[in-house]
Amino acid sequence: MAAVVALTFAFLMFPISSPVRALSSNYYDHTCPQLESIVTSAVKKAMLNDKTIPAALLRMHFHDCFIRGSDASVLLNSKGNNQAEKDGPPNISLHALYVVEHAKKALESSCPGVVSCADILALAARDAVVLSGGPIWEVPKGRKDGRISMATETRQLPAPTFNISQLQQNFAQRGLSIEDLVALSGGHTLGFSHCSSFQNRIHNFNATFDIDPTMNPFFAARLRSVCPAHNKVKNAGSPLDSSNFIFDNAYYKLLLHGKSIFASDQALLTTPKTKALVNKFASSQQAFEKAFVNSMIKMSSLTGGKEIRLDCRVVR
């Protein structure tokens, strides 16, 4: 999921709960049968006005799951002296929180106090993929919302500068495999990155090269034209792949041709196992979609919440 702020990683971990509370695809069948149609409607409505919504929802869900599990802690507001996750450096550019809030408001009218914000976000992320031309899947439901949200914990998120060892350790600490790492990286088929997240690859790369030598030189030159060394344009950046509003396997194809944006993307080509998976997904959209769905379900089944919020921005 596209990180837009490079972040120095510290190997400091906070506990993420295992999926001890069984999730179920039919969890709300009797208590809120209209849940999925309400969430889908909110996502569709937002997309009419902003075509970046799918990428934003997918990224938000990823950032939520990687801190304390899928508990909607990313949606909580800062309060008093506590800075919440949404105000942590990697999350400053998160948007589309209002989509979840609009869905929650509609659900509170239809089935008050029943549906968690965490489940709404998980469903919205799935809808984001489907409405961008990607696969559809049953989202297991029954998550609870968390009561803790701290900006300092966002240092746990994988940074766009990570090498393969850092990526593997980061994912393994959440019970996610190498295949999950490569499949979930395919979420970069949607989205946009600001210059700050890849500036290190196109200017002063190291003592020998100004530009990362693994990059296609024409691609790097285009990025440098958009992101000069002393860029002053706040919103300057680049789409994450050539079809950044369509969920497809173009990300992997471009990666194999030296046209990836992040160092963490390029890192997937630095071990035989991850490179083989990149090749597999580049050659088969079906294989990518199957792996992506499995990994999304696995990632979003990490749960740690305690309650059902009435307002996604505040605890009860």
Side-chain angles (χ1 to χ4, degrees):
M1 311 311 119
V4 296
V5 180
L7 185 68
T8 302
F9 182 71
F11 289 98
L12 176 65
M13 295 305 301
F14 295 86
I16 294 177
S17 298
S18 299
V20 292
R21 184 190 301 111
L23 302 181
S24 167
S25 59
N26 59 6
Y27 187 84
Y28 296 106
D29 281 5
H30 300 294
T31 55
C32 195
Q34 62 273 55
L35 163 62
E36 298 213 16
S37 62
I38 288 175
V39 174
T40 302
S41 177
V43 176
K44 283 182 176 178
K45 185 176 180 180
M47 286 177 66
L48 291 175
N49 300 312
D50 184 355
K51 59 185 178 180
T52 70
I53 289 296
L57 289 170
L58 190 57
R59 180 171 175 244
M60 192 181 349
H61 181 50
F62 180 89
H63 283 210
D64 184 43
C65 293
F66 260 59
I67 305 298
R68 289 177 169 268
S70 181
D71 69 345
S73 53
V74 73
L75 302 175
L76 287 171
N77 285 344
S78 295
K79 183 179 180 181
N81 293 325
N82 180 64
Q83 286 263 295
E85 287 172 34
K86 66 166 67 169
D87 294 319
N91 287 342
I92 291 295
S93 60
L94 287 181
H95 66 287
L97 287 82
Y98 72 90
V99 180
V100 178
E101 291 169 0
H102 287 178
K104 177 63 170 174
K105 186 176 180 180
L107 287 163
E108 285 303 308
S109 295
S110 298
C111 32
V114 171
V115 181
S116 68
C117 299
D119 276 339
I120 296 170
L121 180 52
L123 286 165
R126 187 276 311 274
D127 289 343
V129 171
V130 175
L131 295 170
S132 299
I136 188 167
W137 67 94
E138 283 283 349
V139 175
K141 296 171 283 290
R143 297 165 186 79
K144 295 293 189 289
D145 296 322
R147 295 180 53 82
I148 299 170
S149 182
M150 295 187 286
T152 53
E153 294 186 2
T154 60
R155 71 186 66 188
Q156 298 174 41
L157 293 168
T161 53
F162 271 15
N163 61 35
I164 195 64
S165 296
Q166 291 170 311
L167 288 169
Q168 287 177 317
Q169 179 167 352
N170 189 273
F171 275 65
Q173 286 165 331
R174 290 152 179 82
L176 298 172
S177 68
I178 289 174
E179 182 165 4
D180 295 323
L181 163 62
V182 180
L184 290 170
S185 294
H188 287 168
T189 184
L190 300 175
F192 176 92
S193 172
H194 293 107
C195 299
S196 58
S197 291
F198 57 87
Q199 197 88 351
N200 63 308
R201 299 189 73 200
I202 58 174
H203 298 288
N204 303 312
F205 178 67
N206 60 26
T208 306
F209 300 101
D210 189 32
I211 298 171
D212 183 344
T214 64
M215 296 184 82
N216 176 292
F218 298 104
F219 179 68
R222 184 182 68 75
L223 293 180
R224 281 167 65 99
S225 70
V226 175
C227 301
H230 302 290
N231 174 56
K232 303 292 185 185
V233 181
K234 182 180 178 182
N235 293 320
S238 172
L240 294 178
D241 82 6
S242 56
S243 56
N244 63 307
F245 298 116
I246 300 172
F247 192 92
D248 57 21
N249 63 343
Y251 161 81
Y252 299 103
K253 296 175 181 178
L254 292 168
L255 178 53
L256 292 171
H257 289 92
K259 296 181 179 181
S260 62
I261 297 292
F262 302 137
S264 57
D265 294 326
Q266 181 62 32
L268 300 181
L269 298 181
T270 58
T271 73
K273 186 168 184 178
T274 53
K275 186 174 182 179
L277 286 165
V278 170
N279 276 295
K280 177 182 177 181
F281 297 155
S283 61
S284 172
Q285 171 100 7
Q286 185 177 13
F288 162 50
E289 290 185 351
K290 181 180 179 182
F292 182 82
V293 166
N294 288 338
S295 296
M296 282 289 285
I297 292 172
K298 189 174 174 182
M299 178 186 74
S300 68
S301 294
L302 293 166
T303 60
K306 304 293 184 184
E307 66 180 17
I308 303 294
R309 287 182 218 142
L310 301 181
D311 179 335
C312 291
R313 296 169 295 180
V314 295
V315 298
R316 294 183 75 164

